[in-house]
Amino acid sequence: MKKKLIPSLIASVILLSVGSQSAFAIKGAGDTRDTAIPLYLHSTRTWTLDSFNDEDWFKWRNDTGSTKYVSASLQSPVGLNYDIWGYLVTPGGEYTLNTGENGPGGLEGLGTSLNPGDTIYIRIKPDLFDYSTTQQYEFKFDAN
Protein backbone atom coordinates (compact mmCIF):
# COMPACT_ATOMS: atom_id res chain seq x y z
CA MET A 1 0.00 0.00 0.00
CA LYS A 2 2.81 2.42 0.90
CA LYS A 3 4.62 1.69 -2.38
CA LYS A 4 1.56 2.89 -4.36
CA LEU A 5 1.22 6.05 -2.27
CA ILE A 6 4.75 7.36 -2.85
CA PRO A 7 4.51 7.71 -6.68
CA SER A 8 1.14 9.43 -6.30
CA LEU A 9 2.57 11.84 -3.76
CA ILE A 10 5.55 12.65 -6.00
CA ALA A 11 3.28 13.20 -9.00
CA SER A 12 1.06 15.52 -6.94
CA VAL A 13 4.02 17.62 -5.82
CA ILE A 14 5.28 17.94 -9.40
CA LEU A 15 1.86 18.92 -10.74
CA LEU A 16 1.39 21.55 -8.06
CA SER A 17 4.79 23.12 -8.67
CA VAL A 18 4.85 23.06 -12.49
CA GLY A 19 2.95 25.80 -14.24
CA SER A 20 1.97 27.70 -11.12
CA GLN A 21 2.63 31.40 -11.19
CA SER A 22 3.70 33.36 -8.16
CA ALA A 23 1.00 35.68 -6.97
CA PHE A 24 3.52 38.11 -5.54
CA ALA A 25 5.07 41.10 -7.23
CA ILE A 26 8.09 40.53 -9.39
CA LYS A 27 10.69 43.14 -8.50
CA GLY A 28 11.57 45.32 -11.47
CA ALA A 29 8.73 44.01 -13.67
CA GLY A 30 6.20 46.70 -14.47
CA ASP A 31 7.61 49.16 -11.96
CA THR A 32 7.60 52.03 -14.48
CA ARG A 33 5.50 53.09 -17.43
CA ASP A 34 8.35 52.12 -19.77
CA THR A 35 8.34 48.58 -18.37
CA ALA A 36 4.54 48.23 -18.18
CA ILE A 37 3.28 44.66 -18.30
CA PRO A 38 1.10 43.90 -21.36
CA LEU A 39 -2.51 43.01 -20.54
CA TYR A 40 -4.73 40.49 -22.22
CA LEU A 41 -8.51 40.48 -22.40
CA HIS A 42 -10.23 39.07 -19.33
CA SER A 43 -7.05 39.44 -17.19
CA THR A 44 -6.92 39.06 -13.42
CA ARG A 45 -3.76 39.68 -11.43
CA THR A 46 -3.20 39.18 -7.71
CA TRP A 47 0.03 40.79 -6.58
CA THR A 48 1.58 42.66 -3.70
CA LEU A 49 3.22 46.05 -3.44
CA ASP A 50 6.61 45.70 -1.79
CA SER A 51 7.18 49.25 -0.51
CA PHE A 52 5.39 52.57 -0.04
CA ASN A 53 6.84 53.84 -3.32
CA ASP A 54 6.28 50.67 -5.38
CA GLU A 55 4.07 51.04 -8.46
CA ASP A 56 2.77 48.36 -10.79
CA TRP A 57 2.18 49.44 -14.39
CA PHE A 58 0.15 47.62 -17.03
CA LYS A 59 -0.75 48.49 -20.63
CA TRP A 60 -3.11 47.47 -23.40
CA ARG A 61 -3.08 48.67 -27.00
CA ASN A 62 -6.24 48.44 -29.06
CA ASP A 63 -5.07 46.52 -32.11
CA THR A 64 -8.50 45.00 -32.76
CA GLY A 65 -9.53 47.29 -35.61
CA SER A 66 -12.68 48.49 -33.79
CA THR A 67 -13.49 50.72 -30.84
CA LYS A 68 -13.43 48.85 -27.52
CA TYR A 69 -14.72 49.77 -24.07
CA VAL A 70 -12.15 48.88 -21.44
CA SER A 71 -12.77 48.46 -17.74
CA ALA A 72 -10.31 48.01 -14.92
CA SER A 73 -10.91 47.42 -11.24
CA LEU A 74 -8.70 47.26 -8.19
CA GLN A 75 -9.64 45.54 -4.95
CA SER A 76 -7.31 46.76 -2.21
CA PRO A 77 -6.30 44.32 0.53
CA VAL A 78 -8.33 44.48 3.73
CA GLY A 79 -7.29 47.51 5.77
CA LEU A 80 -5.06 48.96 3.03
CA ASN A 81 -5.75 51.76 0.57
CA TYR A 82 -4.35 51.41 -2.96
CA ASP A 83 -5.10 53.66 -5.93
CA ILE A 84 -5.65 52.91 -9.62
CA TRP A 85 -5.01 55.48 -12.35
CA GLY A 86 -5.42 55.23 -16.11
CA TYR A 87 -3.52 57.11 -18.79
CA LEU A 88 -5.18 57.03 -22.20
CA VAL A 89 -2.77 57.77 -25.05
CA THR A 90 -4.38 58.74 -28.37
CA PRO A 91 -3.16 60.52 -31.52
CA GLY A 92 -4.86 63.64 -30.10
CA GLY A 93 -3.05 63.59 -26.76
CA GLU A 94 -2.90 61.93 -23.36
CA TYR A 95 -5.75 61.88 -20.86
CA THR A 96 -5.62 60.93 -17.18
CA LEU A 97 -8.38 58.78 -15.72
CA ASN A 98 -8.70 58.46 -11.98
CA THR A 99 -11.26 56.95 -9.67
CA GLY A 100 -13.01 58.07 -6.56
CA GLU A 101 -11.37 57.42 -3.21
CA ASN A 102 -12.99 54.35 -1.66
CA GLY A 103 -10.71 53.98 1.35
CA PRO A 104 -8.98 50.98 2.92
CA GLY A 105 -10.10 47.65 1.50
CA GLY A 106 -12.22 49.47 -1.08
CA LEU A 107 -12.98 48.58 -4.68
CA GLU A 108 -12.02 51.19 -7.27
CA GLY A 109 -12.50 51.10 -11.01
CA LEU A 110 -12.29 52.99 -14.26
CA GLY A 111 -13.60 52.63 -17.76
CA THR A 112 -13.21 54.33 -21.11
CA SER A 113 -13.43 53.74 -24.84
CA LEU A 114 -10.33 53.10 -26.91
CA ASN A 115 -10.27 53.67 -30.64
CA PRO A 116 -8.06 51.47 -32.82
CA GLY A 117 -4.41 52.35 -32.14
CA ASP A 118 -5.08 53.90 -28.71
CA THR A 119 -3.15 52.64 -25.69
CA ILE A 120 -4.11 52.67 -22.03
CA TYR A 121 -1.56 52.51 -19.24
CA ILE A 122 -2.79 51.56 -15.79
CA ARG A 123 -0.87 52.34 -12.61
CA ILE A 124 -1.51 50.76 -9.21
CA LYS A 125 0.17 52.30 -6.19
CA PRO A 126 -0.24 52.65 -2.44
CA ASP A 127 -2.11 55.63 -1.07
CA LEU A 128 0.49 57.39 1.10
CA PHE A 129 2.34 54.73 3.13
CA ASP A 130 -0.21 51.89 2.85
CA TYR A 131 1.39 48.71 1.52
CA SER A 132 1.95 45.09 2.39
CA THR A 133 4.51 42.61 1.14
CA THR A 134 2.14 39.74 1.98
CA GLN A 135 -1.45 40.97 1.44
CA GLN A 136 -2.41 40.82 -2.23
CA TYR A 137 -4.47 43.23 -4.27
CA GLU A 138 -6.72 41.98 -7.06
CA PHE A 139 -6.62 43.78 -10.41
CA LYS A 140 -9.07 42.94 -13.20
CA PHE A 141 -9.00 44.17 -16.80
CA ASP A 142 -11.35 43.62 -19.69
CA ALA A 143 -12.20 45.08 -23.09
CA ASN A 144 -15.48 44.57 -24.98
Side-chain angles (χ1 to χ4, degrees):
M1 181 78 169
K2 288 183 182 181
K3 289 182 182 180
K4 291 182 181 179
L5 183 60
I6 291 173
S8 296
L9 180 62
I10 292 170
S12 296
V13 170
I14 292 170
L15 287 173
L16 288 173
S17 63
V18 174
S20 64
Q21 181 181 15
S22 172
F24 295 96
I26 302 167
K27 292 183 189 231
D31 285 345
T32 66
R33 184 167 158 164
D34 289 339
T35 62
I37 297 167
L39 289 167
Y40 302 96
L41 302 181
H42 317 297
S43 297
T44 299
R45 305 278 177 140
T46 52
W47 281 1
T48 62
L49 292 172
D50 56 359
S51 72
F52 72 91
N53 62 354
D54 187 17
E55 298 180 348
D56 290 339
W57 285 82
F58 303 92
K59 70 178 176 182
W60 185 73
R61 179 177 167 86
N62 183 0
D63 290 326
T64 66
S66 63
T67 300
K68 295 292 181 184
Y69 180 80
V70 300
S71 60
S73 67
L74 170 67
Q75 176 66 60
S76 294
V78 173
L80 297 176
N81 191 8
Y82 293 177
D83 295 328
I84 183 171
W85 291 74
Y87 303 91
L88 176 60
V89 179
T90 72
E94 182 173 321
Y95 307 91
T96 301
L97 312 167
N98 65 350
T99 63
E101 181 58 54
N102 291 324
L107 177 67
E108 298 181 6
L110 57 89
T112 190
S113 295
L114 268 71
N115 292 319
D118 292 352
T119 300
I120 188 164
Y121 291 89
I122 298 171
R123 178 178 67 164
I124 296 172
K125 66 183 205 78
D127 188 357
L128 298 176
F129 295 102
D130 263 357
Y131 75 95
S132 172
T133 59
T134 58
Q135 290 181 286
Q136 300 173 5
Y137 67 79
E138 183 178 72
F139 167 60
K140 293 183 178 184
F141 174 83
D142 206 354
N144 297 308

